[in-house]
Amino acid sequence: MTATGRAARLALGTASALGLARFAYGLLVPAMRDGLGWTLADAGVISAANGSGYLVGAVAAVVLVRRWGTAAVFRWGMVITALALAGTAAGDDFVVLLAVRTVAGASGALVFVAGGVIAARIAASAGSSAPITVYFAGTGLGIILSGATIPGLGDHWQAAWAGLGAAAGLATLISWTAAGTGEELPAGEAGRARVRPLCRVAVAYFLFAAGYITYITFLSVYLAGRHAPVMQVVLTWTALGAAVVVAPVLWSRPIARWPGTRALAVVLGVLAGGAALALLSPSPAVVIASAVAYGVTFMAVPAAVTAHIRTAVPLADWTATLAAFTTLFATGQTVGPWLAGVLADHTSTAAPLAWTAVLCAAAAALAAVRPTPRAAPPLEPAAEIR
């Protein structure tokens, strides 16, 4: 199997853990809000529960990888994700929904971390960053599937969750053998998290996480508030998902070749502009253009961060460092939707899009700042004499 082909099968991990288990929820918010009598803050709490589970999974990833290895953590994270998606269809109790969405978040983080490490090892063996961008682009497949099917189900949100669970189960079977790595470190080794040397990137990643998630969580609410027809919702989401899939064509080379965090800054800047674009006009053409700009960039951010980690820290520390960054990412994802939901309840459904634009613009500015080179230590007098 070629490196890219293996990464493509591995990409069903992000398709399931993010495209289906995380982002499809945004399509279901209008139906669940109407059917269950939620406010947008309630919808944000459910999204925050998924984010808090993601946080737990990110923290647990290092421990579980040390015990069982990356391949096993990836595979069983996929299994649990499929079961949690199916379980979301089982009832309409708010506490139950909080619980299953939390589990889906935790298992999704395990898939994200373990799959990212496997993709980074494939990239190192192939001498290319393409497997990393292909892995993260798999998210778009889940978004396309969700966008093409869920809007047509109308108020039948439980049937939608059952279908998502079945799709995640199929993704688990197809990706199972792609997770096996000859480059796997022995069980018991996951290295040390090296966040301090990358603190500027870490803060930018946190701002991105708190900002980007609100756009995709509340995009359908924004469209529903403007009485967008079902076909517009379908076209917007499928265009967004297709943009995620083609993102590697656009970003693989800059991520691999541009120095430092330049690619990360550019990606974040385009993402901020794409989110702001939808605020200019609710017309279908403008909203779809916004969704395309968002889709072609938002999964390129974790790809750029993972590629940067691959070059900035020793191989033995990849798992621990990526898990630490995913913990920051999960923290941002947890607080972002709830705060944006509260803001939207007190202002308008356009507020979450503005939230995304502002935070991602701040992250882009931070990533664009070049680190100040450290001055060389002064020579000892004896060394000067020599």
Side-chain angles (χ1 to χ4, degrees):
M1 189 187 305
T2 66
T4 302
R6 186 169 157 204
R9 290 176 59 201
L10 195 71
L12 292 175
T14 52
S16 179
L18 297 180
L20 302 181
R22 182 69 174 156
F23 302 136
Y25 172 69
L27 275 167
L28 290 159
V29 166
M32 296 179 77
R33 180 185 63 174
D34 293 342
L36 300 172
W38 288 354
T39 64
L40 289 181
D42 291 331
V45 168
I46 293 290
S47 184
N50 186 259
S52 65
Y54 204 89
L55 176 60
V56 171
V59 172
V62 174
V63 175
L64 296 177
V65 166
R66 285 196 182 112
R67 185 175 181 86
W68 292 313
T70 51
V73 170
F74 176 88
R75 289 165 175 162
W76 290 105
M78 290 285 285
V79 171
I80 295 170
T81 298
L83 293 174
L85 285 171
T88 311
D92 55 7
D93 183 82
F94 193 80
V95 175
V96 172
L97 290 173
L98 280 175
V100 292
R101 293 299 292 151
T102 301
V103 171
S107 59
L110 297 179
V111 172
F112 185 89
V113 172
V117 171
I118 295 169
R121 290 174 184 160
I122 297 171
S125 298
S128 167
S129 292
I132 296 175
T133 53
V134 168
Y135 170 70
F136 289 109
T139 304
L141 297 175
I143 295 173
I144 291 172
L145 177 63
S146 304
T149 57
I150 290 176
L153 293 174
D155 295 334
H156 302 291
W157 58 268
Q158 290 172 309
W161 283 115
L164 293 175
L170 180 60
T172 301
L173 294 175
I174 297 173
S175 64
W176 193 271
T177 56
T181 67
E183 307 90 354
E184 174 124 28
L185 294 174
E189 298 184 21
R192 292 174 48 208
R194 299 184 180 269
V195 178
R196 185 174 296 176
L198 305 174
C199 61
R200 185 172 50 88
V201 178
V203 175
Y205 202 40
F206 174 82
L207 292 174
F208 158 74
Y212 95 96
I213 190 62
T214 64
Y215 180 100
I216 202 165
T217 298
F218 294 107
L219 178 59
S220 290
V221 175
Y222 174 78
L223 293 173
R226 283 147 185 80
H227 308 290
V230 170
M231 186 51 65
Q232 182 185 345
V233 177
V234 170
L235 287 175
T236 301
W237 276 79
T238 52
L240 192 158
V244 178
V245 172
V246 303
V249 176
L250 182 62
W251 297 113
S252 289
R253 182 167 294 186
I255 287 172
R257 298 189 179 183
W258 289 1
T261 56
R262 183 183 299 175
L264 177 62
V266 171
V267 170
L268 284 165
V270 176
L271 173 57
L277 183 60
L279 298 172
L280 299 179
S281 169
S283 72
V286 173
V287 173
I288 289 174
S290 170
V292 169
Y294 177 90
V296 84
T297 52
F298 85 97
M299 286 311 297
V301 175
V305 169
T306 301
H308 188 64
I309 289 172
R310 183 172 73 87
T311 59
V313 304
L315 184 151
D317 296 328
W318 285 355
T319 299
T321 304
L322 185 57
F325 269 74
T326 305
T327 300
L328 287 172
F329 184 79
T331 304
Q333 284 194 139
T334 300
V335 299
W338 174 69
L339 291 175
V342 171
L343 183 64
D345 278 333
H346 288 83
T347 55
S348 75
T349 54
L353 278 63
W355 174 279
T356 296
V358 170
L359 291 192
C360 289
L366 190 59
V369 175
R370 294 185 179 182
T372 304
R374 293 183 180 179
L379 293 173
E380 298 274 344
E384 295 183 85
I385 294 172
R386 295 194 200 100

